[in-house]
Amino acid sequence: MRLRNKPWAKDMINDNLDLIAVQPENMAGKWQDRFEKSQPLFLELGSGKGGFITELAKQNPQNNYVAMEVQEGAIALLLKKQVENKLPNLQLLLANGSNLTDLFAEGEITGMYLNFSDPWPKTRHEKRRLTYKSFLEQYKTVLKDDGYLQFKTDNQGLFEYSLISMNNFGMKFDEISLDLHNDETLNQNNIETEYEKKFSKKGFRINYLKAHFNN
């Protein structure tokens, strides 16, 4: 969902370039330089307003996190949170996920999160889905050999498509749930996104999976 333009966004971004990368083309292999400590690196692709990744970074100070978002308005709201929190293990990235291998080095990332990605339901838009094979190829490149991909969506069609796409790509599934919030085991450590809270209250089932590439 595209947010309205935030007139103050550009100034906030320009005033906090220690917290957000806006020219990341030369960052591949150097992301640890932006953190206080070198620690396992995790990426959320499409962070929205940042509720998930901010809480994840708070709960796991032993890891470093990059919140990546293409919408300037959305990442500006996330940046507001980070200016307040100043979490040393969280960096923001304003960029398009279609060129992920230009932004991260091979094997640089330990784990990836895809939360409530745009389903692009029309067949002609299949290549834009973040679980399409061309995206999976990029994820495989930037993830470590033992790295993983975690995916959540309320869209049943996208979830079914993603299961098939990942299976055809040779990925192995570690965890799957068609109703995450009613799964006592898997939901125990679940951190909800803003979108997830809103739509689960309306009765939408949350689909979840965790998978890895068969290297």
Side-chain angles (χ1 to χ4, degrees):
M1 185 178 295
R2 185 161 293 279
L3 299 175
R4 291 180 180 177
N5 182 48
K6 310 292 182 185
W8 46 267
K10 288 187 185 296
D11 287 340
M12 170 162 274
I13 290 171
N14 290 331
D15 290 342
N16 294 279
L17 294 178
D18 58 323
L19 302 176
I20 180 170
V22 294
Q23 294 179 319
E25 291 80 7
N26 298 320
M27 287 301 301
K30 302 175 183 177
W31 278 98
Q32 297 292 353
D33 296 342
R34 293 189 64 92
F35 296 94
E36 287 188 0
K37 294 188 290 185
S38 180
Q39 304 179 132
L41 184 65
F42 294 80
L43 170 67
E44 183 185 21
L45 185 55
S47 294
K49 298 177 183 178
F52 169 84
I53 198 70
T54 299
E55 185 59 31
L56 189 65
K58 284 181 180 178
Q59 292 186 17
N60 297 276
Q62 75 281 4
N63 296 326
N64 288 334
Y65 296 92
V66 174
M68 183 173 176
E69 174 60 49
V70 69
Q71 290 191 58
E72 185 179 81
I75 207 162
L77 293 173
L78 200 170
L79 182 57
K80 263 190 172 182
K81 292 185 176 73
Q82 178 60 344
V83 168
E84 295 173 2
N85 293 305
K86 284 290 198 305
L87 297 171
N89 62 333
L90 176 61
Q91 281 284 321
L92 280 54
L93 170 58
L94 178 61
N96 192 311
S98 62
N99 59 341
L100 207 61
T101 50
D102 293 335
L103 307 176
F104 296 90
E106 183 175 347
E108 190 170 12
I109 298 172
T110 298
M112 283 188 61
Y113 303 94
L114 302 179
N115 291 319
F116 302 92
S117 310
D118 192 324
W120 294 106
K122 295 181 179 179
T123 302
R124 70 175 184 270
H125 292 152
E126 179 187 7
K127 293 182 179 180
R128 299 185 184 182
R129 298 170 192 164
L130 293 186
T131 51
Y132 182 68
K133 59 185 178 181
S134 63
F135 283 101
L136 297 180
E137 185 66 49
Q138 292 196 63
Y139 306 156
K140 183 177 182 179
T141 298
V142 300
L143 280 169
K144 295 182 179 298
D145 287 345
D146 59 351
Y148 65 83
L149 177 67
Q150 182 175 299
F151 175 64
K152 288 194 288 186
T153 181
D154 63 311
N155 188 289
Q156 189 68 26
L158 178 61
F159 192 69
E160 292 173 358
Y161 170 86
S162 300
L163 287 172
I164 294 170
S165 179
M166 292 180 187
N167 181 68
N168 289 344
F169 200 83
M171 295 182 70
K172 303 299 180 183
F173 299 102
D174 305 304
E175 299 170 345
I176 296 177
S177 176
L178 300 180
D179 191 0
L180 176 61
H181 288 194
N182 285 315
D183 188 313
E184 292 184 6
T185 301
L186 295 180
N187 193 44
Q188 193 170 19
N189 297 313
N190 180 45
I191 297 174
E192 296 183 61
T193 72
E194 292 91 347
Y195 187 99
E196 184 175 355
K197 291 175 182 177
K198 177 181 177 180
F199 282 86
S200 62
K201 286 179 181 178
K202 293 183 178 181
F204 286 73
R205 288 189 294 110
I206 307 302
N207 303 279
Y208 162 87
L209 66 82
K210 181 179 179 182
H212 66 274
F213 290 93
N214 190 22
N215 296 300

